[in-house]
Structure formats: C-alpha cells, structure tokens
Amino acid sequence: MKKTVFLLHTALLILSMICFTGCSSTKTVPTSKDFNEWTSDSVAKIISAHDIPLIQVAGKIDGKAFFSQVANAEFYPTKTELPDTAIFQAASLSKVVFAYIVMRLADRGEIDLDKPLHLYTDIDRFADKANARKLTAKMVLTHRTGLPNWSASPSSTKWPTSTIDFIHAVDSCFGYSGEGFAFLQRAVEAIKGKGIDEIAREELGTVARCYYFYLTTLFNRDEGYMQTVLNEI
C-alpha cells in the first residue's frame, strides 16, 4: 500500500512538474527561485509523509535547466545535499546489466541458454523439483519461469530459507520474477567459480568501460541473501 501511495505521489509530482514547466509560455517566466520554492514545498511534503530519504527534481523552463534536491531531515539531519556517490534502492537496474553479462557468456559458449539451470546449481529451495528442473536461462531472461517475484521479502530473514513455489506453469506466460534472476545468478557464479562483482568487472570493465560501479549482494552467501544491487562509485 505504501509503495502504491508513493507511486501515485510520484505521478502527481511529474504532472505538477509538467504544469509548472508549461508556465513558461505565459508572460511571467518562473525563475530558479520559483523552481526551488516549488520543489522545496511540494517535494518536502512527499518525503516527510512517506519516509523517503531524498528526491531530486530536474526541469527546463524557457530553455534554462533547473535542478533541485530535497533531503529528508529525519534521514540526514546535518546535510541538505548529498554527494553524487550516494546510493539508494531505486529499481531493478541490475537485471539489465546481469542479462548482458549472461549473453556475453552465452556468446562464448560458457552457458547454454536452453540448458536446465539445475545442471549448474542446486534447486534445494524449490518445492516442485520436477518443474524446477525445467527452468533455463532463456526462461529467466524473458520472465517466463512461472515463479513469483519473490518467495518472501528479499530484505527479510525469512527469504534465505523460504520455499519457492510456482504460480504459473513453466514457460506458459510472462511473469516478472526476481527469484528467477537470483536462481540464474547462482548458476552463473557456479559456472565461473566467482562472485557476481568479480564477474561483472571482468565482463564490463574493459568492454563498456564501466569502471565506477560494483555489483554486490546485500548479505553474505552464508546467510543466503542473493538480491543483487548495482552501485555506482
């Protein structure tokens, strides 16, 4: 519910931004001061009401770009602005990066996209072992595993040992699944014999010149937490 409310407020914020930008066609052109006052008032109410650490807003008025950053004082009582290296949970950006890595491995024949993943790694947490043995990298990358997004909240202590149940028949329909990507990540790490960060650096550091980033898991493997996050440094 909280996420839904946040998304709604984000949509309203964007709509308000469009309306604000539209004022540039009037006789009174908004200034940077007007922009900052608007964002400080509107955005501050949103971050306070929904415990959001920080929101950045950028816009262009009459051809001039404006930028404003509003931090939640409860999270950052001594700072009004944060450095460019500050890290926040934003979206599943790492899935795109990880998918690219998998395709590079496939190009070199290190992973077969149609080969069942259980031949690379374990399926201990799956309740339905027969269906788990059908899962392939291609199904994961196209979100056709039949798995839920997560079997339990990946930030909870229950997730590492939670049972994974199928909610659809394997390869029957599209169904977004972080659980599937975590399964594929384990397979890739088993194939390479390395952690995801080392693999990513080898695959992306020289090809895409992505030197200022790292991929990591939020807890260590012993605790079983496998959600991957992409950070820029």
Side-chain angles (χ1 to χ4, degrees):
M1 179 64 182
K2 198 167 189 177
K3 181 182 288 187
T4 302
V5 173
F6 167 63
L7 291 175
L8 176 60
H9 274 278
T10 303
L12 291 174
L13 177 63
I14 294 173
L15 179 61
S16 299
M17 186 64 211
I18 293 173
C19 294
F20 186 84
T21 305
C23 293
S24 61
S25 62
T26 63
K27 293 182 179 180
T28 303
V29 178
T31 64
S32 59
K33 180 180 179 181
D34 296 328
F35 180 85
N36 290 331
E37 289 179 351
W38 174 80
T39 54
S40 296
D41 180 61
S42 300
V43 177
K45 291 178 181 177
I46 294 175
I47 64 175
S48 177
H50 302 288
D51 296 327
I52 300 171
L54 175 142
I55 289 180
Q56 295 177 330
V57 182
K60 182 174 287 187
I61 303 172
D62 199 33
K64 185 177 181 181
F66 294 99
F67 173 83
S68 180
Q69 176 175 273
V70 182
N72 190 329
E74 293 186 12
F75 288 84
Y76 310 104
T78 61
K79 295 183 178 181
T80 56
E81 290 193 4
L82 299 180
D84 293 338
T85 54
I87 297 172
F88 298 96
Q89 181 177 354
S92 295
L93 302 178
S94 64
K95 285 187 175 66
V96 179
V97 177
F98 180 61
Y100 177 70
I101 292 171
V102 173
M103 296 307 294
R104 282 178 56 80
L105 298 183
D107 285 344
R108 297 197 299 267
E110 294 183 55
I111 186 173
D112 185 336
L113 299 182
D114 293 307
K115 184 176 180 178
L117 293 175
H118 78 90
L119 297 176
Y120 298 116
T121 189
D122 69 87
I123 54 173
D124 296 344
R125 289 175 54 215
F126 289 88
D128 188 337
K129 299 294 193 291
N131 272 324
R133 292 188 182 95
K134 299 177 183 178
L135 298 177
T136 66
K138 184 181 292 183
M139 293 177 192
V140 171
L141 295 175
T142 56
H143 289 288
R144 297 180 62 87
T145 60
L147 297 174
N149 190 18
W150 295 105
S151 58
S153 173
S155 59
S156 71
T157 56
K158 296 179 180 179
W159 185 80
T161 57
S162 61
T163 300
I164 303 174
D165 293 306
F166 287 86
I167 58 175
H168 302 292
V170 175
D171 200 25
S172 64
C173 61
F174 176 88
Y176 190 86
S177 177
E179 202 70 67
F181 268 73
F183 183 39
L184 179 55
Q185 179 185 327
R186 294 200 303 274
V188 168
E189 290 180 325
I191 291 169
K192 300 294 289 185
K194 304 172 183 177
I196 187 61
D197 182 50
E198 186 176 356
I199 295 170
R201 288 183 180 280
E202 291 177 354
E203 296 297 328
L204 302 176
T206 56
V207 176
R209 298 186 180 182
C210 297
Y211 301 107
Y212 302 102
F213 80 97
Y214 63 93
L215 281 169
T216 186
T217 49
L218 298 187
F219 295 105
N220 62 47
R221 181 177 290 277
D222 292 336
E223 295 174 345
Y225 187 68
M226 292 299 299
Q227 185 180 18
T228 304
V229 292
L230 170 65
N231 302 313
E232 292 186 2
I233 56 176

